[in-house]
Amino acid sequence: MSKELNLKTAAIEKISHLDYFNIAISVDCVIFGYDNKELKVLLIKSDLEEFAGLYSVLGDLVRPDEDLESASYRVLSERTGMEDVYLEQVHTFGGIGRHPSGRVITTAYYSLIDIKHHKFKLNHNELHWHSVNDIKKLAFDHKKILDKCLNRLREQVMEHPVVFNLLPEKFSLRELQDLYQAILDIDLDRRNFRKKIAIKDWLVDLNEMENDVPHRPGKLYALKKQHQRTSTNAVVMQ
Amino acid sequence: MSKELNLKTAAIEKISHLDYFNIAISVDCVIFGYDNKELKVLLIKSDLEEFAGLYSVLGDLVRPDEDLESASYRVLSERTGMEDVYLEQVHTFGGIGRHPSGRVITTAYYSLIDIKHHKFKLNHNELHWHSVNDIKKLAFDHKKILDKCLNRLREQVMEHPVVFNLLPEKFSLRELQDLYQAILDIDLDRRNFRKKIAIKDWLVDLNEMENDVPHRPGKLYALKKQHQRTSTNAVVMQ
DNA sequence: TCAAAAGTGTTGACTTTACACCCATGA
DNA sequence: TCATGGGTGTAAAGTCAACACTTTTGA
């Protein structure tokens, strides 16, 4: 009773499946920044009437000739002018009602970028940084997407050196701790935090000190070269 | 210089994006089983000429009117006759050359099912269980998909009670340990394993003993009701 | 009586947490 | 001299890994 061996070519298969080429796929990039001891996320005002007044994360449809990663890098660089930034895929959202234009499935990525980056032109498009903690509602299912990306970020932050794009090249341990506290939304013990970071061996001591701080200056550190994460040396993290 | 407020309706947006509705999306289900102290995976012989002789994991195109999760449950139940089994989304693979029929992006899920399940009709379709350790090459990028799902399974197995679909309802701690060893592909210390499982509080002691074993019988346990994972009470795991 | 696996605790190594004092700087 | 944060160590609690002997059963 076994099925007959009935090979078909890909070309033939494609014809029989043409009906299915009726779903669009997009990428959405949850881009985190950090300023004033708060974790921020870059949002754009939705240009859909259905979501008038609401913000959404940055996304775009995937072009037929680009892969998912390229699409997410394109969104990132088109919107922020930044190249070569690490993006992490988080989850794909495929509910049927999630986009009013039709069937759009989206793959969510997160990324971390320096909020003070130069090429950045916030005024030209309705792009704004929002405090993650203040966000109650977004267009589409983007609140769910944001939450999932934030959870993933929190899971990874102590295991992998992912947060250093959010700091200047040289930073003190206090700045690093403030950043961790903003991301995790908890207080950390200073001595224990320093021990934990020291053990990871992520940092080089630059033998320099902070300037212009209204208190005793701290030592400056930088992320070791081998831990710098970019699109081109992306490390498999799990 | 700010952009004019220029809202468009979803309908209008759709027209301008029609070109993009040219990518198909599929789901691929990596279905793990367990037999003879080995972790297995359910594979089907590829019916594409391009991959003649190679196996692939179970997948199908997503229909325009079903969401991603429904599509993966459909694949699972069509192929195995099983309903109400937990599926975990792992990753979406979107390389441009990954499918010879055209642009197909796929979202991978894994699932664990009892290899001895009744409705199962292995002969009717070229469906076979393969030892995970023996698999060297698969059709498409399915080896990568399998590896990623296996990694995810290994990460979750000690943190969450995910493996119990692979065992009969009543099982001994030795059977459970053998299963963990097969999944993780390492040996575990018996006493430490039992302690670790006891702490999780996943099991009920049934006050029954094994029968028909050629050695001292062990106690039988079952997974507590509140930890049983099905499609309908799926627990958010991260 | 033998073979096979069940069942069970302790010790040492390591990790994690909580916690307090003096120091350097700028205002 | 005050306010601010820098820099540092220790003790107690908890977790993890290694390890061996007696018991029960069927063959």
Side-chain angles (χ1 to χ4, degrees):
Chain A
M1 226 5 249
S2 84
K3 182 180 165 185
E4 276 183 26
L5 200 62
N6 181 16
L7 296 176
K8 48 190 169 180
T9 66
I12 292 170
E13 197 207 42
K14 178 162 182 178
I15 292 168
S16 68
H17 286 159
L18 269 180
D19 287 351
Y20 288 101
F21 286 77
N22 197 21
I23 304 177
I25 179 139
S26 64
V27 290
D28 280 302
C29 298
V30 174
I31 300 172
F32 293 110
Y34 174 65
D35 191 35
N36 194 26
K37 301 195 183 178
E38 284 189 309
L39 187 65
K40 308 279 187 176
V41 63
L42 192 54
L43 300 178
I44 190 168
K45 213 166 229 171
S46 176
D47 61 354
L48 287 187
E49 209 169 55
E50 285 82 351
F51 295 120
L54 292 180
Y55 285 87
S56 62
V57 304
L58 306 185
D60 198 6
L61 294 173
V62 175
R63 297 177 178 158
D65 60 345
E66 76 185 340
D67 66 30
L68 274 182
E69 275 66 37
S70 308
S72 55
Y73 288 119
R74 178 172 55 75
V75 167
L76 191 63
S77 71
E78 281 177 5
R79 296 301 194 172
T80 69
M82 301 195 67
E83 310 277 349
D84 206 35
V85 174
Y86 179 73
L87 278 156
E88 163 90 358
Q89 189 190 116
V90 176
H91 195 81
T92 296
F93 296 81
I96 46 179
R98 57 173 301 284
H99 197 300
S101 294
R103 186 68 198 285
V104 183
I105 288 171
T106 198
T107 299
Y109 289 78
Y110 83 78
S111 186
L112 305 162
I113 72 172
D114 185 349
I115 211 162
K116 299 184 188 66
H117 194 271
H118 305 105
K119 300 179 195 168
F120 228 75
K121 349 157 175 119
L122 281 183
N123 349 350
H124 293 200
N125 33 37
E126 301 225 13
L127 219 51
H128 301 278
W129 290 103
H130 296 248
S131 290
V132 166
N133 288 327
D134 294 344
I135 295 168
K136 302 285 177 272
K137 194 175 175 197
L138 295 173
F140 310 99
D141 50 359
H142 285 190
K143 182 64 163 65
K144 253 171 61 190
I145 292 177
L146 170 61
D147 290 343
K148 196 118 184 173
C149 287
L150 181 56
N151 281 339
R152 179 71 65 91
L153 171 61
R154 286 175 174 165
E155 285 167 16
Q156 295 193 324
V157 92
M158 273 301 182
E159 313 306 321
H160 305 277
V162 292
V163 303
F164 296 91
N165 285 342
L166 297 183
L167 291 175
E169 206 173 324
K170 303 173 178 188
F171 51 86
S172 67
L173 291 176
R174 174 185 37 82
E175 292 175 297
L176 184 61
Q177 183 178 342
D178 285 344
L179 171 55
Y180 268 86
Q181 294 182 156
I183 291 173
L184 297 172
D185 201 24
I186 52 173
D187 285 342
L188 298 168
D189 178 87
R190 188 161 89 248
R191 280 176 287 193
N192 293 338
F193 176 77
R194 283 163 187 239
K195 263 179 286 180
K196 215 175 253 177
I197 294 296
I199 286 169
K200 308 265 182 228
D201 198 34
W202 293 340
L203 305 184
V204 260
D205 181 342
L206 296 172
N207 292 311
E208 291 178 55
M209 293 301 206
E210 286 181 299
N211 289 318
D212 306 320
V213 286
H215 53 75
R216 173 174 174 181
K219 289 174 112 172
L220 291 175
Y221 294 82
L223 181 62
K224 284 190 175 172
K225 285 259 178 339
Q226 71 254 39
H227 292 121
Q228 287 171 16
R229 249 166 225 285
T230 64
S231 60
T232 46
N233 74 357
V235 179
V236 175
M237 296 216 288
Q238 38 177 345
Chain B
M1 222 9 242
S2 83
K3 183 180 164 186
E4 278 182 22
L5 199 61
N6 182 16
L7 296 176
K8 48 190 169 180
T9 66
I12 292 171
E13 196 206 45
K14 178 163 182 178
I15 291 168
S16 68
H17 285 158
L18 270 180
D19 288 351
Y20 288 101
F21 285 77
N22 196 22
I23 304 177
I25 179 138
S26 63
V27 290
D28 280 301
C29 298
V30 174
I31 299 171
F32 292 109
Y34 174 64
D35 190 36
N36 194 27
K37 301 193 182 181
E38 284 189 310
L39 186 65
K40 308 279 187 175
V41 62
L42 193 55
L43 300 178
I44 189 168
K45 212 166 228 170
S46 176
D47 60 353
L48 287 186
E49 209 168 55
E50 285 83 352
F51 295 120
L54 291 179
Y55 285 86
S56 63
V57 304
L58 307 185
D60 198 5
L61 294 173
V62 176
R63 297 178 179 159
D65 60 345
E66 76 185 339
D67 66 30
L68 274 182
E69 276 65 37
S70 307
S72 55
Y73 288 119
R74 177 172 56 77
V75 167
L76 190 63
S77 72
E78 281 177 3
R79 295 302 194 174
T80 69
M82 302 195 67
E83 309 279 350
D84 206 36
V85 174
Y86 180 73
L87 277 157
E88 164 89 359
Q89 191 191 114
V90 175
H91 195 82
T92 296
F93 296 81
I96 47 180
R98 58 173 301 284
H99 197 301
S101 295
R103 187 68 198 285
V104 183
I105 287 171
T106 198
T107 299
Y109 289 78
Y110 83 77
S111 186
L112 305 161
I113 72 171
D114 185 350
I115 212 162
K116 297 184 189 69
H117 193 273
H118 305 104
K119 301 180 193 167
F120 228 75
K121 348 156 174 118
L122 280 182
N123 348 351
H124 293 200
N125 34 34
E126 302 226 12
L127 218 52
H128 301 278
W129 289 104
H130 296 248
S131 289
V132 166
N133 288 328
D134 295 343
I135 295 168
K136 302 285 176 273
K137 194 176 175 195
L138 294 173
F140 309 97
D141 51 359
H142 285 190
K143 181 63 162 65
K144 253 173 59 191
I145 291 177
L146 170 61
D147 290 344
K148 196 118 183 171
C149 287
L150 181 56
N151 281 339
R152 178 70 66 90
L153 171 61
R154 286 175 173 166
E155 285 166 19
Q156 295 193 325
V157 91
M158 272 302 181
E159 314 305 320
H160 304 278
V162 291
V163 302
F164 296 91
N165 285 342
L166 297 182
L167 291 175
E169 206 174 323
K170 302 173 179 188
F171 50 85
S172 68
L173 291 177
R174 173 184 39 82
E175 292 174 296
L176 184 62
Q177 183 178 343
D178 284 343
L179 171 56
Y180 269 86
Q181 294 182 155
I183 291 174
L184 297 172
D185 201 23
I186 53 174
D187 284 342
L188 297 168
D189 178 87
R190 189 162 85 249
R191 280 175 287 190
N192 292 338
F193 176 77
R194 284 165 186 238
K195 263 179 284 180
K196 217 174 251 177
I197 294 296
I199 287 168
K200 307 269 182 223
D201 198 34
W202 293 339
L203 306 185
V204 260
D205 181 342
L206 296 172
N207 291 311
E208 292 177 54
M209 293 301 207
E210 285 181 299
N211 289 318
D212 306 320
V213 286
H215 54 74
R216 175 175 173 182
K219 289 173 112 174
L220 292 175
Y221 295 82
L223 181 62
K224 285 188 174 174
K225 284 261 178 338
Q226 72 254 39
H227 292 121
Q228 287 171 17
R229 250 167 222 285
T230 64
S231 60
T232 45
N233 74 355
V235 178
V236 175
M237 298 215 286
Q238 33 182 341

